[in-house]
Amino acid sequence: MNPVRSRPARRGVLAGLVAAGLTACGRPSRGQPAAFEAAPLKSVANFPVGCAAPTGRLGDPAYADLLAAQFSQLTPEWEMKMEYILQDDGSLRFDAPDALAAFARAHGMSLFGHNLVWYEQNPAAFQRLDGQGAAFARAYDGYIAAVAGRYRGQAVGWDVVNEPVAEYGDGLRECLWSRNLGQTDYMRRAFEQAHAAAPDAVLFVNDYNLESLPKKRATFLSLAEGLLRAGAPLGGLGTQCHLAADFEPGAVTTAINELAGLGLPIHVSELDISLNHARAPLASRDELVDRQARLAEEVGEAFARLPRSQRFSLTVWGLRDGDSWLRTPQWNPNPPWDAPLFFDDDGRPKPLLGALERGLAV
Ligand code: XIL
C-alpha cells in the first residue's frame, strides 16, 4: 500500500464546508490569499479529535469559537503539568486546569489529562524530599491521587508517564522519580495511583520520536509490556507525532501499526509537522509544504485504518500556527516562521487540514 496516496474525500461528510476568506460568490476577495475549504475536523472522524490549548487564549472569542467548532477533545498544553500545579510549599493550584476543564464541559468536549509524571519536571517540593524514601513516596502518591482524582469522571484519559524512554532508545531515562522509587516501579506506582483515583480514565504512557527511531519504539514497546506484566493498569499508548515535513513516507504508518500490535488503544497525542525542522537539502518551502500535506494525509489514514477499538483519539498540538510551541523564541527565534499546524495565524483552515481529513476519511 502506498500510504501517501490521495484518496477521494467522503463526500457526504465533506459537503458541509466552512469557507474562510471567501467573498459571497465563493472567489477569493482582492488581496487575500486563496481560501481553502474544509469540513470541521471533528465531523470527519468517528473518534475524538483533540487540540492542546492554554488558558491564556480562551478569552479570545475567535480562538474559542474555532477551537470548539473544530475539536471534540481538549488537552491542557501546559497547565495540567506538575510544574504548574505543584507550588514550592507543596500546595496545589488548580485555577488554570479547572478553567480548561470548565471550557471543555461548556463546549461538549472531552478532557484529556497531560501529564502526571515527567522526567523533565522536578519541582522544588520534590527536590526537597530527594533521598527520603517513604516521605518521597507518600508525596508522590498524594500528588497523583489529588490531580487525577480532581478530574475523576471528566478526564477520559491521562498521560500518566510522559517521555520515559532515553533519547535514542538505549533504555529508560534516569530521573528524580526513578532514583527515588526505582526504574519501572515509579511508573507502575503512578499507574496504580492514577487508576485508584480515576478508575474510568484510560491511562497512557506517552513518548516522542517513536516514528523516526525504531530502536526507541522497541524500547517503548518493551516498557509497555513490562508494565502490563507487572500488573500496571496501562490502558493505551501515546505517540506524540512531532514530525518534520521531510519525514520518510511510510515510516509513520509502520510506527502506528507496530505500536498497535500490542493491542492497546493508540493516541496520536501531539501532532504537528514542522517545516523548519526538515533537513532535506532538496526542499524549497513549496516542496516542504507539499511533503507536509502528504505526511498529514498519511497520519490520518494510518490512524483511521486502526481497528475501531484502538482509535483512542488524535490530538494536534496547538490551534493556529501562531499558537504553536514551535513558534516560540526557543525554537523559532528568527524567520522563516514555522507553520506546523492546521489553521493559519488568522485561524483560516489550511490545505494541510484538508490533507489530514482526506486521510481520516478512508
Ligand atoms: C510543551 C508546550 O507546548 C509548551 O507550551 C510548554 O511550555 C512546554 O511543553 N512534549 C510534550 C509536551 O509532552 O508537554 C510539550 O509541550 C511538547 C513536547
Side-chain angles (χ1 to χ4, degrees), residues 77-78 81 114-115 118 162-163 206 240 242 270 317 325:
E77 184 171 354
W78 177 60
K81 294 172 184 165
H114 175 80
N115 56 57
W118 189 9
N162 198 35
E163 305 182 348
N206 186 49
Q240 293 183 4
H242 292 294
E270 304 184 13
W317 207 243
W325 70 308

Side-chain angles (χ1 to χ4, degrees), residues 91-223:
S91 63
L92 306 177
R93 63 169 167 172
F94 287 111
D95 53 348
D98 280 357
L100 286 157
F103 182 92
R105 274 198 308 278
H107 294 88
M109 302 165 85
S110 50
L111 177 72
F112 187 83
H114 175 80
N115 56 57
L116 293 170
V117 181
W118 189 9
Y119 80 93
E120 204 187 79
Q121 301 203 341
N122 309 283
F126 274 107
Q127 282 177 36
R128 270 200 306 278
L129 298 172
D130 198 359
Q132 294 190 35
F136 190 98
R138 245 192 335 274
Y140 184 82
D141 291 353
Y143 176 82
I144 294 168
V147 177
R150 190 170 183 96
Y151 303 101
R152 175 187 182 126
Q154 187 179 359
V156 291
W158 269 101
D159 286 328
V160 175
V161 180
N162 198 35
E163 305 182 348
V165 180
E167 190 66 23
Y168 298 105
D170 303 309
L172 304 173
R173 290 182 195 274
E174 298 294 333
C175 57
L176 180 67
W177 320 111
S178 64
R179 271 206 315 280
N180 280 274
L181 299 167
Q183 185 55 277
T184 12
D185 252 33
Y186 89 84
M187 299 191 223
R188 185 188 48 76
R189 193 174 185 121
F191 277 96
E192 280 167 4
Q193 291 299 322
H195 182 64
D200 299 331
V202 183
L203 305 181
F204 285 80
V205 56
N206 186 49
D207 219 319
Y208 66 99
N209 282 353
L210 303 179
E211 304 80 23
S212 52
L213 302 174
K215 182 172 177 186
K216 188 167 185 180
R217 185 161 75 238
T219 307
F220 180 80
L221 276 168
S222 35
L223 166 65

Side-chain angles (χ1 to χ4, degrees), residues 46-48 253 256-267 300-313 362:
N46 53 11
F47 47 81
T253 306
I256 288 180
N257 290 341
E258 249 183 51
L259 293 172
L262 200 62
L264 293 175
I266 301 295
H267 186 193
E301 177 171 347
F303 192 80
R305 287 193 184 283
L306 290 176
R308 197 182 183 109
S309 62
Q310 287 189 273
R311 283 176 239 146
F312 180 79
S313 50
V362 293

